[in-house]
Amino acid sequence: MTKARDSRRPLHRDRRRPAVYPRKSSPFSLVFALLLRLLVIVIGFSVIAGTGITLWHHVHQSATPAPTVAATPTPPTLTLDPTLTTNLEKLIQSEEHRDLTAHLMVWDLDTGSIAAIAHNQPVPAASTIKLPLLIAFFAAVDRGEVRLDEALEINKSVRVGEAGNYQDLPDGTKVPALEAATQMIVISDNTATNMILQRLGGMDVTNRQFRQWGLLHTSFRAPLPDLEGTNTVSAQDLVKLLAQLDQGDLLSPRSRDRALDILRRPITRTLLPQGIREEDQEFARIAHKPEILPRCWATPDWLTPPLASAMRSPFWWSARTTTPAPAP
């Protein structure tokens, strides 16, 4: 007789499962896991730091009043000064100057007063056209089109006489662009002027730059020395140019300072500087490009404080040799 099976006992005996050993991870997997953990930690720190900076910035802005934005300065209103204009007309009509024709403009930067006589009429530029050319040179430097230290070559295409010492240097001589621009103003070197004009792209390119600045009568029609007097400027153009330079409309601050430094160094000191008292000479700051020819005296200039704050552009032409006498 068989015994009944105890239902509480398992049908089969427990069998011990074989041990399962973890697989060895490859080096690549370990490196990947470490990088993943590091990335999570970095992201976490970034989120925490970004949140803290945002909160600090918000609190700081709330505690600090917003800065006052300076209004753009309004150019002064130009007002004709009848008294000064009358005095200038009397001076021109005096016996001493009766053979001269004047084209001039004076602008008081502090009051906006002007005195002008034939100021918007084009006149032969002579070397005064080197003033706008100097500003065009530094404008090209600001645009990155010209480097101050790049070498410009003296050759037959630019060599001319009449003024300066570059004409005596042999063909192939190279000088830095800044040196050529400086010699163009300081000793009025004509060869240096032609080198700068050529480097800027020639007369047409330079004239377009003048038009963009609103200079209606300033034009190159011939390289220097232009003995025929075909290049032109006007007193109004040169004063406008100096005003734009003063207001920072044309050049960067660094280029503006360099241009003014050059314009304070011409070796010709027989025009405006002679009109300043000797005891005031050390205080005077005159940026100018004088021109003295047998038939022309001109000195577009910028006289700065403490003596005055004015821009002038006087041209004095000898009437006796300008127009030939009619035939009998």
Side-chain angles (χ1 to χ4, degrees):
M1 191 169 105
T2 59
K3 292 183 179 181
R5 183 177 61 84
D6 188 351
S7 60
R8 293 175 298 180
R9 297 180 61 186
L11 182 62
H12 302 287
R13 291 182 179 178
D14 292 334
R15 294 180 181 180
R16 183 172 295 177
R17 295 179 181 179
V20 178
Y21 298 98
R23 297 180 181 178
K24 281 189 176 181
S25 299
S26 65
F28 176 78
S29 299
L30 292 175
V31 172
F32 179 77
L34 289 174
L35 290 177
L36 184 60
R37 292 176 182 176
L38 181 61
L39 179 62
V40 171
I41 293 172
V42 170
I43 292 176
F45 274 116
S46 299
V47 171
I48 294 172
T51 303
I53 292 173
T54 302
L55 291 174
W56 178 86
H57 184 66
H58 178 72
V59 172
H60 179 72
Q61 278 192 332
S62 301
T64 306
T68 303
V69 179
T72 303
T74 303
T77 303
L78 300 184
T79 306
L80 183 65
D81 187 331
T83 302
L84 180 56
T85 302
T86 301
N87 291 337
L88 289 173
E89 289 174 345
K90 290 179 179 179
L91 177 65
I92 294 169
Q93 295 167 4
S94 65
E95 183 67 21
E96 182 182 1
H97 302 109
R98 62 182 179 85
D99 292 326
L100 299 178
T101 300
H103 301 261
L104 62 88
M105 181 175 179
V106 180
W107 179 8
D108 187 327
L109 298 179
D110 294 328
T111 66
S113 299
I114 65 169
I117 298 174
H119 62 294
N120 57 359
Q121 298 178 13
V123 296
S127 283
T128 61
I129 202 168
K130 297 171 183 177
L131 169 58
L133 184 62
L134 178 72
I135 308 306
F137 167 76
F138 279 109
V141 170
D142 286 343
R143 294 192 298 268
E145 300 171 0
V146 179
R147 297 195 326 273
L148 295 175
D149 61 346
E150 72 175 85
L152 303 184
E153 183 176 326
I154 299 174
N155 52 50
K156 293 180 180 179
S157 67
V158 296
R159 184 195 309 281
V160 291
E162 300 298 328
N165 52 29
Y166 278 7
Q167 59 183 308
D168 300 322
L169 300 178
D171 285 348
T173 301
K174 294 183 178 180
V175 298
L178 180 59
E179 178 186 315
T182 302
Q183 295 296 91
M184 174 178 70
I185 299 297
V186 174
I187 64 172
S188 202
D189 195 301
N190 288 333
T191 299
T193 303
N194 291 340
M195 293 167 68
I196 296 296
L197 181 62
Q198 185 182 83
R199 179 61 186 85
L200 294 184
M203 291 182 285
D204 290 340
V205 173
T206 306
N207 288 339
R208 284 197 295 271
Q209 175 72 88
F210 295 161
R211 296 298 170 270
Q212 290 175 3
W213 290 340
L215 309 182
L216 303 180
H217 307 112
T218 302
S219 293
F220 274 103
R221 296 181 178 88
L224 272 290
D226 186 31
L227 299 178
E228 300 299 322
T230 58
N231 298 334
T232 57
V233 294
S234 69
Q236 178 176 263
D237 276 3
L238 296 182
V239 167
K240 178 185 291 187
L241 181 72
L242 290 172
Q244 290 177 313
L245 184 64
D246 171 55
Q247 294 166 1
D249 296 336
L250 304 182
L251 302 177
S252 67
R254 177 174 296 182
S255 290
R256 174 181 177 271
D257 290 345
R258 283 188 172 128
L260 289 176
D261 175 68
I262 293 172
L263 288 168
R264 292 186 180 114
R265 292 157 53 191
I267 60 174
T268 301
R269 309 284 295 177
T270 55
L271 294 176
L272 177 61
Q274 283 196 345
I276 299 175
R277 296 178 303 178
E278 184 176 353
E279 59 269 25
D280 293 330
Q281 288 283 344
E282 62 176 311
F283 303 109
R285 296 293 181 268
I286 306 170
H288 62 138
K289 177 61 192 83
E291 174 63 291
I292 300 177
L293 294 174
R295 295 188 297 111
C296 169
W297 300 264
T299 176
D301 53 62
W302 181 0
L303 181 64
T304 55
L307 295 180
S309 182
M311 294 174 179
R312 314 180 319 153
S313 186
F315 289 80
W316 301 82
W317 289 90
S318 172
R320 287 178 295 185
T321 55
T322 301
T323 306

